[in-house]
Amino acid sequence: VVDLDAECCVPSQEERFKVKIANINESGLSFTAPMGITPGRKIRIETTLPGDGRILFDVKIVWSGYFEKNGEYRSGAKIIAMDADHNEKYLRFYNAKIATLSPNS
């Protein structure tokens, strides 16, 4: 579980909105958003990783829904584009998070 603030935009539009990244894996992430996002939609996400700086990447929404219990919209997305330097930072952050979950740490 992660708790990262991020800002999103639709690359072909000026529309920007804030999200909270909740979970990540090597190829995707889930986040809460102020609205539902249509599956198939492509968006750009910008966030700052603790100790590693800002990263920017493009995702494609795989699923989205309203979670009444929490009163929030959640979306899952697959990473479809990220430059090599940002990908290295992202994977370093992901691996550090995994290491903290390991029973041997």
Side-chain angles (χ1 to χ4, degrees):
V1 174
V2 297
D3 185 23
L4 291 173
D5 292 319
E7 189 165 284
C8 297
C9 70
V10 177
S12 61
Q13 302 171 358
E14 293 300 314
E15 176 186 0
R16 296 184 76 78
F17 53 95
K18 295 192 181 299
V19 300
K20 176 83 70 177
I21 299 172
N23 284 300
I24 63 172
N25 64 37
E26 299 100 331
S27 62
L29 63 149
S30 69
F31 56 87
T32 59
M35 74 292 211
I37 304 170
T38 307
R41 190 169 190 189
K42 294 176 183 173
I43 61 173
R44 180 161 292 149
I45 296 179
E46 180 178 342
T47 191
T48 301
L49 299 176
D52 235 345
R54 175 176 126 343
I55 64 169
L56 185 71
F57 52 97
D58 294 339
V59 301
K60 183 176 182 180
I61 303 301
V62 177
W63 58 266
S64 185
Y66 182 71
F67 287 73
E68 193 169 327
K69 178 181 175 187
N70 300 338
E72 63 192 12
Y73 288 94
R74 265 210 141 137
S75 295
K78 177 177 177 46
I79 296 170
I80 56 173
M82 184 183 317
D83 76 19
D85 179 52
H86 290 192
N87 189 54
E88 184 178 317
K89 290 178 182 182
Y90 179 86
L91 291 176
R92 185 169 40 243
F93 178 75
Y94 170 73
N95 288 326
K97 283 292 181 187
I98 291 300
T100 65
L101 300 175
S102 170
N104 299 326
S105 30

